[in-house]
C-alpha cells in the first residue's frame, strides 16, 4: 500500500484540527504542556480522528508553545472560548464575508481573536500585514454579530512559535 503524500497545506489543516479539538480543561491542569499535547494527539489517533502517520506530521512542540505563550495562557484562563467559529457577514457595501475564526475568547467583557498560521515566515512585519485585513474583517463581523467589541487581534506563527499582535 502506498503512503499518502502530505503537502504543507495538509499539515496546516491537521495542526488546526488538533488545536480545535484539544481538551482545554486537560491543558488548564497540565503540569507539562508538551506531554499533555502528546496525550491529546494519542487520544485523537485512538478515536480515529487522525491517523498515526498524520500524528507524526504535526509539530507538537509548536502546538505546546502556543498554549504556554502569554496569549495561549490568557485563552486557557478565559471562561468563554470559541474555536473554529464559522460566520457569514454582510458588509455595508453589500459584500458577503465568510470565514472561520481559529480561536476567540472573552477577556474583560471583550473578544480576543487568534489566528494560527503555519506559514514559513521571513519577514514578520510583512507577514502581519498580509493577514491584518483578514483579521480586521473578522473583528468587524464578530463585533456586529455578538454586539461585543474585539479588543485584540493576534496571529500565532507556529513555525516561529511566536505570537504577533495586529493593530
Amino acid at each position: 500500500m502506498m503512503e499518502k503524500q502530505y503537502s504543507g497545506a495538509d499539515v496546516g489543516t491537521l495542526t488546526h484540527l488538533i488545536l480545535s479539538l484539544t481538551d482545554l480543561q486537560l491543558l488548564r491542569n497540565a503540569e507539562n504542556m508538551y506531554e499533555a499535547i502528546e496525550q491529546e494527539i494519542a487520544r485523537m489517533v485512538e478515536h480515529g480522528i487522525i491517523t498515526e502517520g498524520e500524528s507524526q506530521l504535526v509539530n507538537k512542540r509548536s502546538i505546546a508553545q502556543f498554549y504556554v505563550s502569554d496569549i495561549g495562557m490568557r485563552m486557557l484562563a478565559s471562561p468563554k472560548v470559541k474555536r473554529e467559529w464559522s460566520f457569514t457577514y454582510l458588509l455595508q457595501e453589500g459584500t458577503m464575508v465568510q470565514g472561520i475564526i481559529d480561536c476567540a475568547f472573552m477577556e474583560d467583557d471583550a473578544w480576543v481573536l487568534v489566528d494560527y498560521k503555519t506559514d514559513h515566515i521571513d519577514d514578520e512585519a510583512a507577514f502581519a500585514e498580509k493577514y491584518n485585513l483578514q483579521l480586521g474583517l473578522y473583528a468587524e463581523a464578530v463585533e456586529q454579530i455578538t454586539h461585543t467589541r474585539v479588543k485584540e487581534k493576534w496571529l500565532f506563527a507556529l513555525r516561529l512559535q511566536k505570537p504577533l499582535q495586529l493593530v
Side-chain angles (χ1 to χ4, degrees):
M1 186 179 290
M2 292 183 58
E3 284 288 318
K4 180 182 188 305
Q5 294 296 313
Y6 291 92
S7 68
D10 292 331
V11 174
T13 299
L14 281 167
T15 302
H16 276 75
L17 178 66
I18 290 165
L19 284 159
S20 74
L21 297 177
T22 302
D23 180 343
L24 297 181
Q25 196 56 44
L26 174 80
L27 300 184
R28 288 178 178 121
N29 299 320
E31 290 183 25
N32 182 309
M33 193 61 70
Y34 182 78
E35 289 176 5
I37 294 301
E38 282 190 316
Q39 180 182 344
E40 277 296 276
I41 290 172
R43 178 186 62 82
M44 291 178 203
V45 170
E46 182 180 320
H47 287 88
I49 297 167
I50 63 174
T51 67
E52 181 64 38
E54 289 170 335
S55 76
Q56 301 303 313
L57 295 172
V58 295
N59 187 328
K60 297 171 188 81
R61 207 152 294 289
S62 292
I63 293 170
Q65 188 57 43
F66 165 70
Y67 289 111
V68 299
S69 71
D70 179 61
I71 195 67
M73 295 299 285
R74 288 169 56 197
M75 184 270 294
L76 289 173
S78 175
K80 185 172 187 175
V81 178
K82 292 184 160 282
R83 295 180 289 172
E84 295 299 308
W85 186 11
S86 61
F87 68 90
T88 302
Y89 174 65
L90 186 63
L91 296 173
Q92 287 183 349
E93 305 84 47
T95 303
M96 180 83 60
V97 176
Q98 290 183 311
I100 299 174
I101 299 166
D102 293 339
C103 180
F105 62 92
M106 289 295 291
E107 184 179 75
D108 302 325
D109 297 320
W111 289 107
V112 176
L113 304 184
V114 182
D115 201 42
Y116 315 122
K117 297 297 181 191
T118 56
D119 307 41
H120 178 76
I121 302 165
D122 293 318
D123 179 343
E124 288 180 22
F127 175 74
E129 184 60 33
K130 176 179 175 181
Y131 292 106
N132 200 32
L133 175 62
Q134 174 191 350
L135 259 65
L137 289 172
Y138 285 14
E140 182 181 336
V142 166
E143 287 178 344
Q144 292 301 313
I145 293 166
T146 67
H147 306 290
T148 304
R149 77 181 178 92
V150 171
K151 71 175 192 169
E152 295 174 23
K153 301 171 292 188
W154 290 84
L155 298 174
F156 192 85
L158 286 146
R159 285 183 186 229
L160 295 180
Q161 300 180 12
K162 182 177 181 180
L164 302 167
Q165 187 171 12
L166 302 178
V167 287

